[in-house]
Amino acid sequence: MNRLDWEQTLAGETSPRRLIAALRFDRVLACKSRNIDLAAPEAALELVGIEFHPGEAPSGSAVLMFSQGGVLRLDLECLECELTDLGTDDLGTGDIGEGVASPRLGA
């Protein structure tokens, strides 16, 4: 995904910088999608929110909501996820989804 470097922005830098990042969920039991074209794995999606809906402890579902109404629901054994910055966006793709993380779903 591509995200705004909020730390740099809040530190007063005048030119916003974007970072390439990876969001990983572990212990996923199932994944369901709605309004996402799975036949277009190169399509950019704009992540606008994530919700967690608890089930029988410690399980639950993570719901990833995208602009244009796309949704992924991950049924989880327990909530284990990590967001890791991989480096700066030196490829100039920062105009995609300005201000919003833009993950690319692939096979």
Side-chain angles (χ1 to χ4, degrees):
M1 66 175 36
N2 180 304
R3 73 173 192 88
L4 181 65
D5 184 351
W6 284 105
E7 295 81 9
Q8 179 197 34
T9 301
L10 294 173
E13 294 291 327
T14 57
S15 179
R17 179 175 72 179
R18 300 196 70 75
L19 299 172
I20 302 296
L23 177 61
R24 183 187 80 225
F25 285 85
D26 292 327
R27 301 181 184 256
V28 176
L29 302 173
C31 177
K32 297 180 182 175
S33 66
R34 184 179 64 208
N35 296 329
I36 295 176
D37 186 358
L38 300 178
E42 293 300 316
L45 300 173
E46 294 182 26
L47 181 65
V48 295
I50 301 175
E51 294 179 348
F52 180 73
H53 300 274
E56 185 175 327
S59 69
S61 296
V63 179
L64 287 74
M65 297 164 287
F66 301 92
S67 65
Q68 309 299 317
V71 177
L72 285 177
R73 186 183 86 197
L74 307 176
D75 295 330
L76 307 169
E77 181 181 334
C78 63
L79 181 59
E80 283 190 26
C81 61
E82 177 183 18
L83 176 66
T84 302
D85 290 328
L86 303 175
T88 59
D89 181 6
D90 296 327
L91 298 177
T93 59
D95 58 337
I96 298 172
E98 198 64 41
V100 184
S102 300
R104 293 187 183 268
L105 299 179

